[in-house]
Amino acid sequence: MSITFMMDALHAQTGGTNCALPAVMVMNNGTAVTSVAQWRERRQELLHLLRLQMYGQSPGRPENMAFKVFDEDKHALNGKATRKQITVFFNGQADGPQMDLLIYIPNNIKRPPVILGLNFYGNHAVCTDKAVKITTSWMDNNDAGVVNNRATDAGRGTDTSRWPLDMILGHGYALVTAYRGDIDPDYDDGFKNGVHALYPELQNRGDNFATIAAWAWGLSRAMDYIETDKDLDAKHVVAFGWSRLGKAALWAGANDERLGIVISNESGAGGAKLFHHINGENIRRLCTVFPHWFNTNFRKYMDKDSCLPFDQHMVISLIAPRPVYIASAADDNNADPPGEFLTAKAADPVYRFLGTKGLPAEIMPPIGHPVYAQIGYHIRTGKHDVTRYDWQQYLTFIDSHFK
Ligand code: GCU
């Protein structure tokens, strides 16, 4: 079944309008991409387009960035793992913007592959380990254990269900995580705080460095650290993210080819959902409720979702041929599950062109029936969340590529 046909069928169901999806495999000058060398050029055109119109420009690796390992315990989690905590000083200054990495490495595996992901509520929320440092960065007062926009001890372990360390370590993977707010606090302040403060030249322009791009950039800086750590296999790193952090994981994977696999758990609009499929969150909502997430040029596309000159299948195509997994939840209409499936489907030709098996599904699979080859997809029952069911599928997918 063709993607156009599926779009028509789904649009009929949701009452959306339809415009052709912009082509991925055609160069700006109209030439079809027929060689890998041309694809590499097309890749640059797509990166340019998406940076300009949506995500903004990101700086590279800061020249003076420094790492400080401030904690190491080889007997963490009842002896199962080694815990490390590292501060990344983005501009090398102790009083400058900084993020703390929390790392658990299974003790029974030498140099394991790594699952790298930003967390919503602080490193201390990911597990109950009392030795985990509590961030001093800004946090939302609605989040567990937060007082006056700062985390407290009461937040410890409040996010463990989304980070099943037993499963991750049990499959032989290390976990590297950091709090999103260490990189950029998640509120609209005109792009002043977090790492934005270091890059005034990337502000006050239509393609400004915005928050999703900053979080993605933070994942690349974590990757810089991973490359220096002899206890981690930097050649096998998975970028994982849920929801807004899934949007960031996808953009990180699109930009940074060191990230070997990307997993998007319900990333929705601005993540894995196709804007052309009018359902769930749209550009107007993204740009008004979360005006700091994307660049200011993106605002001119409000109400033009179904006729955008770019779309998220381009982001997934930029990850090709590296494995990517896109997951949805049945009750998560805001993230538009069919729109997430359609994005995977629309990137499939690029994956096949690059010699992989792409996404082995003609139509959207039913709930609870994961499909995967180089692209994976599932929709599970339930609400917007990260569950053990989700992790089971991701770990099986990662095993199939890394083992
Ligand atoms: C909101 C937002 C989504 C986002 C989600 C999240 O629901 O509309 O775009 O993905 O928050 O990050 O949890």
Side-chain angles (χ1 to χ4, degrees):
M1 201 189 290
S2 78
I3 183 91
T4 320
F5 181 85
M6 271 194 295
M7 293 261 298
D8 286 346
L10 287 160
H11 276 288
Q13 279 165 28
T14 57
T17 54
N18 203 352
C19 247
L21 262 189
V24 176
M25 295 297 273
V26 180
M27 309 283 297
N28 288 346
N29 67 9
T31 322
V33 172
T34 53
S35 70
V36 173
Q38 268 176 317
W39 168 248
R40 295 300 299 174
E41 277 177 50
R42 178 62 178 149
R43 229 188 144 266
Q44 290 310 314
E45 290 184 351
L46 293 175
L47 278 170
H48 176 79
L49 174 68
L50 292 163
R51 286 172 184 157
L52 184 65
Q53 303 298 354
M54 181 172 172
Y55 293 91
Q57 305 295 336
S58 300
R61 177 189 169 129
E63 227 173 89
N64 300 321
M65 184 168 65
F67 307 121
K68 182 176 177 205
V69 182
F70 66 85
D71 169 54
E72 178 162 6
D73 178 359
K74 293 194 186 323
H75 307 284
L77 308 179
N78 298 320
K80 286 202 192 72
T82 296
R83 183 193 62 245
K84 295 191 194 187
Q85 297 186 80
I86 291 99
T87 303
V88 178
F89 298 100
F90 291 121
N91 64 348
Q93 318 253 321
D95 59 354
Q98 52 195 267
M99 85 176 155
D100 291 331
L101 302 176
L102 169 64
I103 306 187
Y104 286 104
I105 307 170
N107 280 338
N108 58 343
I109 316 263
K110 210 172 144 42
R111 287 198 112 198
V114 177
I115 294 178
L116 163 65
L118 299 179
N119 60 67
F120 266 78
Y121 308 111
N123 294 346
H124 66 292
V126 164
C127 59
T128 50
D129 184 344
K130 290 242 181 299
V132 177
K133 182 182 159 190
I134 297 183
T135 180
T136 55
S137 299
W138 181 91
M139 218 174 259
D140 195 313
N141 279 336
N142 294 319
D143 297 341
V146 178
V147 179
N148 295 329
N149 294 116
R150 290 294 175 273
T152 70
D153 212 55
R156 274 195 198 286
T158 50
D159 201 23
T160 52
S161 69
R162 302 199 177 99
W163 297 96
L165 270 171
D166 58 327
M167 292 174 78
I168 295 170
L169 298 170
H171 267 255
Y173 301 118
L175 175 70
V176 177
T177 188
Y179 170 54
R180 61 184 160 136
D182 281 4
I183 305 160
D184 190 29
D186 195 358
Y187 66 90
D188 178 24
D189 76 324
F191 307 107
K192 301 265 179 327
N193 58 16
V195 293
H196 292 126
L198 297 179
Y199 301 101
E201 69 282 12
L202 292 180
Q203 299 312 329
N204 302 316
R205 46 194 275 182
D207 62 348
N208 58 301
F209 184 33
T211 297
I212 297 290
W215 291 335
W217 177 89
L219 287 169
S220 288
R221 306 292 67 87
M223 187 65 216
D224 295 337
Y225 168 77
I226 291 167
E227 289 187 317
T228 69
D229 191 325
K230 299 275 172 290
D231 296 328
L232 300 170
D233 177 0
K235 296 272 181 254
H236 294 94
V237 177
V238 180
F240 161 84
W242 172 45
S243 211
R244 66 198 68 186
L245 300 177
K247 306 183 209 298
L250 289 171
W251 186 236
N255 283 276
D256 191 337
E257 295 182 274
R258 295 173 299 176
L259 298 166
I261 297 182
V262 183
I263 295 176
S264 150
N265 188 97
E266 301 153 19
S267 59
K273 167 208 156 53
L274 212 54
F275 287 116
H276 278 72
H277 185 246
I278 307 291
N279 185 42
E281 189 168 32
N282 59 16
I283 297 176
R284 172 166 293 281
R285 185 171 190 278
L286 280 176
C287 291
T288 48
V289 183
F290 310 101
H292 54 299
W293 281 359
F294 298 101
N295 71 20
T296 42
N297 280 341
F298 191 49
R299 296 174 191 171
K300 65 180 186 240
Y301 296 106
M302 287 196 270
D303 309 319
K304 302 204 169 103
D305 303 59
S306 66
C307 285
L308 277 188
F310 53 90
D311 211 331
Q312 301 307 99
H313 61 318
M314 292 176 168
V315 176
I316 307 300
S317 300
L318 286 165
I319 297 169
R322 289 165 290 148
V324 65
Y325 198 112
I326 293 171
S328 313
D331 300 340
D332 187 11
N333 191 49
N334 193 46
D336 183 23
E340 294 189 303
F341 175 76
L342 284 173
T343 300
K345 196 67 195 152
D348 174 74
V350 180
Y351 274 82
R352 295 202 188 246
F353 172 78
L354 294 173
T356 78
K357 294 206 168 77
L359 177 70
E362 282 305 311
I363 54 166
M364 188 165 164
I367 293 171
H369 289 270
V371 284
Y372 58 86
Q374 204 75 1
I375 305 179
Y377 178 82
H378 76 243
I379 173 164
R380 61 158 171 78
T381 54
K383 62 178 176 63
H384 189 61
D385 200 352
V386 191
T387 67
R388 290 181 79 87
Y389 175 87
D390 295 319
W391 276 105
Q392 262 155 21
Q393 317 319 316
Y394 304 149
L395 292 167
T396 308
F397 180 72
I398 299 167
D399 288 351
S400 77
H401 290 286
F402 278 179
K403 284 189 177 159

